[in-house]
DNA sequence: CCCACATGAGACATTCTTGTCTCATGCCGG
DNA sequence: CCGGCATGAGACAAGAATGTCTCATGTGGG
C-alpha cells in the first residue's frame, strides 16, 4: 500500500484548506492568494500546488458548496412530511454551509459565464419543488412564487451568516431566526 | 452669476454618473474604473476628475445610498400608524435604491475600517426602532429580534434586487414579495 | 470672433496580484 | 543512515488596474 504510505507526508488537507478559504473569503471576498494561503497555514507556493490558480480555488469552493447543499437536501428528506417541517430540517442542515454559500452567492462571476455549474440548477430545482409542494398541500401561500422563496432562502442564509459573523445575532438562534422569518414572517399569529 | 454660466459646459452630471456606476457595480462589483467610465458614457480621465479614485467613488456611492435610505425613512413616516403599514411604505420607498444597497451591502470593505460612516448607524437605529415599536404594539412577534429583522430586510432587498435583475421575479412584484415575506412569511394564514 | 474650459485620447510610472520558477530544508519510510 | 518528497522561502516576469500627466479638440459664452 505504498500509495497510502506517502499520505502521511501530506500535511495539507485539501478539505481543510477549502474550509479556511471559505471562512476568509466570506469575510473578505477580495482576499489574495497569499492571504488565503496564510489563513490556511501554508505558503502561497504550496497553495498553488494544490489549486492551479485563484479561479480553480473558487471553482473548488463552488463544488464544495454544491456538494454540501445537495447533501443537506438529501439529509433533510425534503419530499417527506409537512413542507414546513422539511424547510426547518433543510435550514438546519444548511446552517454549517451558510458562510460558504454567502460567499458563493455574491460571487456573481460564477454565474455570468454561459457555462455555469449545473449543480446549482439541480439545487434550485430541489428547493423550488419543496416550496411548490408546500403550496399544493395548502401549507404555503400561493402569491409568493417558489422561485422567490428560493431566492429569499439564499438571501436569508447569507444575511444570517453575516449577522452571526459580526455578532449581531447569536449563533444558536441562526436556524430559528431564518426558519421563523421565512415561514411565519414578522407578524404575530392571532391563533395560538 | 458666472458660477452658474459654466454649468452649461458640464456635460457630466455627478448624480447620473453615480447612478450608472451603481447599476454596473451591482451587476459586477469588480468592474474597473474604465468600465465604470464607459458605462457612464465618459472617459476614464474625466471620471478621475470628478472622483479622485476608486475609493472616492465607492465612498460617494455609499453617501448616495445613505442619503436615499434616510430619505426613504423620512418619506415612509415610520413612526406613524401601524408598524406593518410603515414597513410596507418603507420598502416601497427603498425599492428604487435596492440595487445600490445590494452593492453596498456586499462591499464589506466599507465596514472593516474603524471609521465607518455614521449614517448606517442612524439608519439601523431607525429600522430597529420601527421593528421595536411593532413589537411593543403587539403587531410583531417578539422572538425575532429587531436587529435580525433589520438584517433580514437588507438581505431581502438585496435578494430582490438580484432576482429582478436576472429576471427570476417580475419587477412589479418587488415590493409585494419582500413585504409579504418579511411580515407574513410563507405559511398560509388560517384566518382571512 | 476669440477665449476659457471641460472633455477625450493616450502615454507613463507605479503598484498589486498572479503564475512559475529554483533552491534549501525537514521529515518520513525503507 | 539515506533517499525521496512535500513544503517554505524567495526571486522573477507578465499582466492588470490605478493614478497622473500632457496635448488636442470642440463648444459655448462674452
Amino acid at each position: 500500500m505504498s500509495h497510502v504510505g506517502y499520505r502521511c507526508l501530506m500535511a495539507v488537507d485539501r478539505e481543510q484548506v477549502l474550509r479556511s478559504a471559505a471562512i476568509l473569503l466570506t469575510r473578505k471576498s477580495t482576499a489574495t492568494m497569499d492571504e488565503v494561503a496564510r489563513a490556511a497555514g501554508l505558503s502561497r507556493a504550496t497553495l498553488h500546488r494544490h489549486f492551479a490558480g485563484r479561479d480553480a480555488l473558487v471553482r473548488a469552493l463552488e463544488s464544495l458548496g454544491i456538494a454540501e447543499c445537495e447533501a443537506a437536501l438529501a439529509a433533510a428528506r425534503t419530499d417527506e412530511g409537512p413542507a414546513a417541517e422539511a424547510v426547518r430540517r433543510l435550514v438546519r442542515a444548511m446552517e454549517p454551509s451558510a458562510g460558504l454559500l454567502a460567499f458563493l452567492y455574491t460571487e456573481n462571476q460564477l454565474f455570468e459565464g454561459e457555462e455555469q455549474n449545473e449543480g446549482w440548477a439541480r439545487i434550485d430545482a430541489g428547493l423550488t419543488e419543496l416550496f411548490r409542494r408546500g403550496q399544493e398541500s395548502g401549507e404555503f401561500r400561493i402569491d409568493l412564487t417558489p422561485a422567490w422563496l428560493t431566492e429569499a432562502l439564499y438571501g436569508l442564509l447569507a444575511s444570517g451568516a453575516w449577522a452571526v459573523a459580526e455578532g449581531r445575532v447569536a449563533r444558536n438562534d441562526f436556524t430559528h431566526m431564518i426558519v421563523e422569518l421565512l415561514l411565519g414572517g414578522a407578524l404575530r399569529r392571532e391563533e395560538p
Side-chain angles (χ1 to χ4, degrees), chain A:
Chain A
M1 284 188 154
S2 59
H3 66 287
V4 175
Y6 70 74
R7 243 209 276 172
C8 307
L9 284 173
M10 310 259 289
V12 172
D13 179 7
R14 184 184 168 94
E15 179 98 357
Q16 196 63 26
V17 172
L18 286 177
R19 300 241 165 251
S20 63
I23 293 174
L24 174 61
L25 289 172
T26 297
R27 186 161 47 84
K28 183 183 178 184
S29 60
T30 61
T32 67
M33 291 293 277
D34 191 78
E35 292 174 292
V36 172
R38 303 294 166 155
L42 40 85
S43 71
R44 194 166 68 94
T46 304
L47 180 62
H48 263 90
R49 286 189 188 101
H50 288 266
F51 302 95
R54 184 190 181 78
D55 196 66
L57 177 67
V58 174
R59 291 294 168 184
L61 283 170
E62 183 184 32
S63 294
L64 178 62
I66 288 173
E68 293 192 352
C69 274
E70 294 191 321
L73 268 170
R77 308 182 314 280
T78 54
D79 53 349
E80 298 179 15
E85 287 309 311
V87 168
R88 186 179 304 274
R89 291 194 301 269
L90 181 62
V91 172
R92 190 179 302 278
M94 293 179 91
E95 175 175 347
S97 315
L100 174 57
L101 293 181
F103 163 69
L104 296 174
Y105 189 47
T106 60
E107 196 73 0
N108 33 27
Q109 171 199 3
L110 291 173
F111 308 105
E112 64 187 7
E114 55 274 351
E115 49 156 333
Q116 50 188 336
N117 196 311
E118 59 185 4
W120 295 122
R122 286 198 302 272
I123 294 166
D124 282 1
L127 294 176
T128 301
E129 168 58 23
L130 170 58
F131 290 121
R132 192 201 57 75
R133 181 169 77 85
Q135 286 181 332
E136 284 207 349
S137 73
E139 285 180 87
F140 295 165
R141 45 202 289 191
I142 59 171
D143 60 329
L144 300 179
T145 65
W148 164 239
L149 292 175
T150 299
E151 198 79 20
L153 175 56
Y154 284 134
L156 289 178
L157 283 170
S159 293
W162 288 324
V164 166
E166 299 192 20
R168 287 196 289 269
V169 309
R171 182 174 298 276
N172 287 342
D173 296 341
F174 182 90
T175 299
H176 182 261
M177 293 280 190
I178 290 178
V179 171
E180 290 303 317
L181 184 63
L182 180 64
L183 296 182
L187 290 180
R188 275 185 66 181
R189 296 281 167 172
E190 298 304 334
E191 81 283 27

